[in-house]
Amino acid sequence: AASFGDGVLNMIFDLLDRSPRPFIFLMLAYHIGFWTWKGTTFGGIVCQLRVVRLDGSPLRLVDALIRGIASFFSIAVAGLGCLWILKDAERQAWHDKIAGTYVVTVPRNLPLT
C-alpha cells in the first residue's frame, strides 16, 4: 500500500513532468515562509545559519519576499550573484544587497523564535 508521502511525491513529480513552474513557486514559497517565520530554512538550521536584516532584526515578510524574488536574478546570471559572497567584503550575495539582509552564523543552542 502506498503511503501519504508517496502520494505527495508522485503529485510533485507529476507536476514537474508538465512544467517546472509549480516546483519553482513551491520552493520560493517555502523559502519566503521559513525566512519570515523562523529566519532560516531546514538547511539553515543544520548549518547554523540565519537570515537577518542589516540592523540584526528578524526578517519581515516584505524582506523575505524581496530576497526570494531577487535570488532569481542572482541565479540567472550563471549563479554569479550567489558566488559574489566570495568577493564581497560584507559577504553578501546580490539578493542580500537588494533585500538589505545578511546571512549570519548562530550558536547551535540559540532557540528559533
Side-chain angles (χ1 to χ4, degrees):
S3 70
F4 175 74
D6 291 337
V8 170
L9 285 176
N10 286 334
M11 182 180 68
I12 290 172
F13 287 123
D14 187 46
L15 287 172
L16 288 176
D17 285 342
R18 295 184 205 145
S19 168
R21 287 188 197 115
F23 180 74
I24 291 169
F25 175 77
L26 287 173
M27 290 306 297
L28 182 62
Y30 161 79
H31 282 87
I32 290 170
F34 269 87
W35 289 333
T36 303
W37 182 40
K38 294 294 182 183
T40 191
T41 60
F42 288 121
I45 293 168
V46 171
C47 296
Q48 297 174 254
L49 301 173
R50 192 171 290 173
V51 182
V52 296
R53 295 172 54 197
L54 292 179
D55 63 4
S57 63
L59 262 62
R60 302 168 299 181
L61 175 60
V62 68
D63 303 315
L65 187 62
I66 292 169
R67 187 176 194 267
I69 293 170
S71 66
F72 287 114
F73 176 67
S74 291
I75 294 167
V77 190
L80 183 61
C82 298
L83 295 173
W84 197 258
I85 64 170
L86 301 172
K87 180 188 181 316
D88 188 67
E90 299 293 323
R91 297 285 188 226
Q92 286 178 291
W94 289 352
H95 49 277
D96 288 312
K97 290 189 175 293
I98 292 168
T101 59
Y102 282 112
V103 176
V104 297
T105 304
V106 294
R108 186 167 300 280
N109 59 354
L110 186 70
L112 295 173
T113 55

